[in-house]
Amino acid sequence: YKMEYFTSDGTAFDMLLNLLSGTEFSKDYDDDEFNVAKTISAQEPLVKRDALFLIAAAFNAEVVFNKFSVSLVKRRGGNKGFYFA
């Protein structure tokens, strides 16, 4: 999925819908804190996967893949109270 450039504005939800359109991937979940509008622009050739990580970086998020669905989360995994010393 090569692109000449990538420019998008809106919330993380809007950007993911725009980016993933025309692929077999779908947007699964976004944390509520990503519900702010931003603008991202990359004016060099890239693939959609690279653009996905640009979106994640702009929202300080992590990407979670679950087969063909994509989620943006604040932090992967969970805190179960275990600590290593």
Side-chain angles (χ1 to χ4, degrees), residues 54-81:
L54 285 175
I55 294 170
F59 287 91
N60 196 25
E62 295 190 27
V63 180
V64 176
F65 293 98
N66 184 11
K67 297 186 182 179
F68 287 96
S69 64
V70 179
S71 302
L72 290 180
V73 296
K74 186 66 179 171
R75 174 185 256 174
R76 293 178 63 139
N79 183 352
K80 297 190 180 197

Side-chain angles (χ1 to χ4, degrees), residues 26-85:
S26 62
K27 188 198 82 56
D28 188 25
Y29 174 79
D30 292 333
D31 282 344
D32 288 337
E33 65 189 72
F34 305 138
N35 195 22
V36 295
K38 296 188 178 196
T39 300
I40 297 174
S41 180
Q43 298 302 313
E44 63 272 350
L46 70 164
V47 294
K48 288 193 176 197
R49 186 177 194 276
D50 294 336
L52 172 62
F53 286 103
L54 285 175
I55 294 170
F59 287 91
N60 196 25
E62 295 190 27
V63 180
V64 176
F65 293 98
N66 184 11
K67 297 186 182 179
F68 287 96
S69 64
V70 179
S71 302
L72 290 180
V73 296
K74 186 66 179 171
R75 174 185 256 174
R76 293 178 63 139
N79 183 352
K80 297 190 180 197
F82 296 107
Y83 294 95
F84 295 96

